[in-house]
Amino acid sequence: KTQVEQSPQSLVVRQGENCVLQCNYSVTPDNHLRWFKQDTGKGLVSLTVLVHENDKTSNGRYSATLDKDAKHSTLHITATLLDDTATYICVVGDRGSALGRLHFGAGTQLIVIP
Amino acid sequence: EAAVTQSPRSKVAVTGGKVTLSCHQTNNHDYMYWYRQDTGHGLRLIHYSYVADSTEKGDIPDGYKASRPSQENFSLILELASLSQTAVYFCASSDQGQGYAEQFFGPGTRLTVL
């Protein structure tokens, strides 16, 4: 059973618009949550990591929130650029140690058009 | 520049044939991982290693072997390739186990088994 669900599956926005990507999970325990960006044909690159109960992070035009009670995270992208076209993957770690496992979502494919 | 590289970047193999995928990292990391990515699904862990000459099974090890001859190199071996092993394979490294530490990913190898 999929333990990390991302929505929407795909999203098309115009350059300059804002967008919000959602991640819901059932992983227990939920030690941390990380958002990755995957350009087409490339590997995953970390955007941000959230650790605490109601964490909020910001990395340039990317900002993220985590609600551990609701097991929900959002990734906000402000003023999108064409280079933001990519798949965004939510990953939940069930421990903060070497014994932990990472649980990957299937990703949201974002397409930014001129 | 620290990096994770994979070779080949793409490969076509015949059913029943042997396939070796190679990964090299210059991050000086102890941990290395092999994942597979199937369309519409999240990455899944096949094998990992935390020290040279030792490998561990991940979540889906059946049909795969791994080899870690040195800290820098980690190979994934398909002794008898099958159609179901068609996927994109990613190698990653981290300086700690699958906990909080960020994993750095290679660009992936697209394997097609015919």
Side-chain angles (χ1 to χ4, degrees), chain A residues 10-29:
Chain A
S10 63
L11 179 63
V12 179
V13 301
R14 290 199 178 277
Q15 183 177 348
E17 292 180 341
N18 303 333
C19 64
V20 181
L21 283 57
Q22 313 281 352
C23 177
N24 289 288
Y25 62 91
S26 58
V27 176
T28 300

Side-chain angles (χ1 to χ4, degrees), chain A residues 4-11 19-25 33-35 63-67 70-77 88-92 105-109:
Chain A
V4 181
E5 300 276 1
Q6 294 188 241
S7 62
Q9 276 192 313
S10 63
L11 179 63
C19 64
V20 181
L21 283 57
Q22 313 281 352
C23 177
N24 289 288
Y25 62 91
L33 186 148
R34 191 180 293 273
W35 284 94
S63 60
T65 65
L66 174 63
D67 181 343
K71 291 188 179 293
H72 176 74
S73 176
T74 60
L75 177 69
H76 298 247
I77 307 176
Y88 292 82
I89 297 174
C90 172
V91 182
V92 180
T108 291
Q109 184 180 24

Side-chain angles (χ1 to χ4, degrees), chain B residues 88-106:
Chain B
V88 180
Y89 291 85
F90 287 96
C91 177
S93 75
S94 69
D95 62 359
Q96 298 173 36
Q98 283 211 98
Y100 185 76
E102 180 180 351
Q103 293 189 12
F104 295 84
F105 286 80

Side-chain angles (χ1 to χ4, degrees), chain B residues 31-35 47-48 74 90-92 94 96-98 103:
Chain B
Y31 286 79
M32 295 187 74
Y33 311 85
W34 276 107
Y35 294 92
H47 285 287
Y48 67 100
F74 192 34
F90 287 96
C91 177
S94 69
Q96 298 173 36
Q98 283 211 98
Q103 293 189 12

Side-chain angles (χ1 to χ4, degrees), chain B residues 46-69:
Chain B
I46 306 170
H47 285 287
Y48 67 100
S49 169
Y50 54 84
V51 68
D53 295 322
S54 177
T55 63
E56 304 291 332
K57 293 181 179 179
D59 299 322
I60 53 163
D62 292 346
Y64 302 94
K65 290 184 180 178
S67 173
R68 182 92 181 270

